[in-house]
Amino acid sequence: MFRRPDNSIGFSFTRLITNAIPVFSNDYNGASALEPWRVDLLFTSQLALPVPSQLSPQSYQVAGICDALSTSSKIHDALRKSGVISASGLVDTTRITKHFANQLAVISIVGQRKLVNMLFLWEEECVRWRLLAQEEARILKALREGEGLGEEHPHSEMQTALRVVRAKMAVPPSLRAEGVQEPALPPRYVKSGI
């Protein structure tokens, strides 16, 4: 069942089959992964919002979960209704239940998997921003206390630390080096002089 533009209810056998019977050819390991460029696009679009940590109704379209803005708004409304997006606008992945597939029947199973990946990714991003904001607050407090003490030395180190923290907040996920390790060189054999 679906709602037509004229607000009447319609039935599509194709939609029923698509959602009821899994298509394993579309279900390869990378099908539900978000592309890195989509994650960066979501990150930069969220930075343009007044409160970047709150997902907007357009966020799901930007992340590639769906193609239409109306579907993106429906996803946002369903997530708010189920409590996955709290009243404060933050993501709470503990509210994802076994009924998640039924709550978001407007998108395919692969889309739902992408959405779950996006929600976990965004929750991690919000935790990262919160920690950086706490660090920024500590630096600003130290700067204010240092000015109040009348110290003669400039606070160039603290100002630099503040700029670094603010820059870290704006670095897109693809440009971060978290968890990236340099590939280890294979052992080399040294010829002995014998």
Side-chain angles (χ1 to χ4, degrees):
M1 303 291 249
F2 67 94
R3 187 142 323 256
R4 293 188 177 122
D6 64 352
N7 226 9
S8 64
I9 295 179
F11 176 77
S12 170
F13 188 71
T14 308
R15 285 188 187 188
L16 174 70
I17 295 300
T18 301
N19 288 323
I21 300 170
V23 180
F24 295 110
S25 62
N26 292 339
D27 200 20
Y28 63 94
N29 289 338
S32 60
L34 291 173
E35 297 90 358
W37 67 272
R38 287 278 193 180
V39 174
D40 286 349
L41 190 62
L42 173 66
F43 182 84
T44 54
S45 69
Q46 287 297 121
L47 283 179
L49 296 176
V51 183
S53 59
Q54 296 178 355
L55 290 172
S56 69
Q58 296 82 16
S59 301
Y60 314 99
Q61 183 182 18
V62 170
I65 307 299
C66 61
D67 293 330
L69 183 59
S70 60
T71 307
S72 185
S73 296
K74 288 177 185 176
I75 293 169
H76 189 71
D77 293 341
L79 291 174
R80 277 195 172 279
K81 185 177 178 182
S82 65
V84 175
I85 295 181
S86 65
S88 63
L90 299 176
V91 175
D92 181 12
T93 55
T94 60
R95 302 296 304 260
I96 296 175
T97 64
K98 63 182 179 179
H99 305 293
F100 188 75
N102 294 332
Q103 294 165 345
L104 287 159
V106 295
I107 56 176
S108 67
I109 300 298
V110 173
Q112 291 174 3
R113 289 181 184 157
K114 277 186 176 182
L115 178 62
V116 168
N117 285 339
M118 182 191 117
L119 292 172
F120 276 99
L121 177 129
W122 198 251
E123 190 175 42
E124 288 176 11
E125 195 63 40
C126 289
V127 167
R128 179 180 167 277
W129 273 340
R130 189 178 67 238
L131 293 174
L132 287 171
Q134 289 172 354
E135 188 175 342
E136 180 183 28
R138 279 194 302 256
I139 293 170
L140 287 172
K141 183 179 176 184
L143 280 171
R144 276 186 257 116
E145 289 174 355
E147 289 173 0
L149 295 175
E151 295 179 8
E152 294 181 14
H153 66 83
H155 298 292
S156 62
E157 292 176 8
M158 297 300 276
Q159 292 289 345
T160 303
L162 185 62
R163 281 195 301 271
V164 167
V165 167
R166 289 181 176 162
K168 281 182 181 179
M169 291 176 109
V171 174
S174 66
L175 297 179
R176 293 186 209 137
E178 294 177 30
V180 177
Q181 297 177 352
E182 290 293 321
L185 295 174
R188 294 176 27 183
Y189 295 101
V190 180
K191 291 184 179 182
S192 63
I194 301 176

